[in-house]
Amino acid sequence: MFARSIDHAAVQDDGVDMYMTPAGEVSAADVHPDLIRMVGTRAISSLRFAVACAYAMPDAGPYGEIEVAIDEAAKQACGGHRLYNPDRFSKAVWFPWQGDIDDAIGGAYVRIRAHQANQEPV
């Protein structure tokens, strides 16, 4: 699964070579405001947030970030893709979460790629 291959790895993804940095926890202030809006009525103080940066290879150009909110009590994560220019955030959805940050980033990534391939709602 992608989540297990992101640490310092380049992967082939639909014709685009990608490099994903290891995921790291951040504060709510460090994620896109649209992700905060998408978590709905859940208390921000009860959520964990994480980000991994993606780069297109071979030029290492920024491809954006995968940002997630994690609700440990509900065992769910909500994530999406943040683009840099212009600064925008994809639609994000809640999905089952298995217990670590890489699983949350990987789960969001899989849904983002499926959406881009099928043009279906994330």
Side-chain angles (χ1 to χ4, degrees), residues 3 14 19 43 49-50 58 61-62 65 71 73 80-81 83 88 94-95 109:
D14 295 336
Y19 174 84
F49 296 91
E65 296 175 343
D71 184 336
H81 182 206
L83 298 174
R88 63 181 186 204
W94 288 98
F95 55 90
Y109 178 83

Side-chain angles (χ1 to χ4, degrees), residues 1 3 19 23 38 41 54 60 64 83 90 92 98 107 116:
M1 179 176 179
Y19 174 84
M38 290 175 195
T41 60
L83 298 174
S90 69
Q98 300 302 316
Q116 290 172 343

Side-chain angles (χ1 to χ4, degrees), residues 19-99:
Y19 174 84
M20 186 80 72
T21 64
E25 282 198 63
V26 296
S27 73
D30 295 323
V31 297
H32 198 279
D34 287 351
L35 178 59
I36 299 298
R37 281 191 284 281
M38 290 175 195
V39 299
T41 60
R42 298 180 197 220
I44 298 300
S45 61
S46 69
L47 301 174
R48 293 170 56 197
F49 296 91
V51 172
C53 298
Y55 299 91
M57 301 303 278
D59 63 355
Y63 191 71
E65 296 175 343
I66 306 299
E67 297 185 359
V68 295
I70 301 168
D71 184 336
E72 292 179 291
K75 296 207 176 289
Q76 293 181 316
C78 178
H81 182 206
R82 180 180 192 164
L83 298 174
Y84 296 131
N85 191 13
D87 186 18
R88 63 181 186 204
F89 196 77
S90 69
K91 179 181 176 187
V93 296
W94 288 98
F95 55 90
W97 172 67
Q98 300 302 316

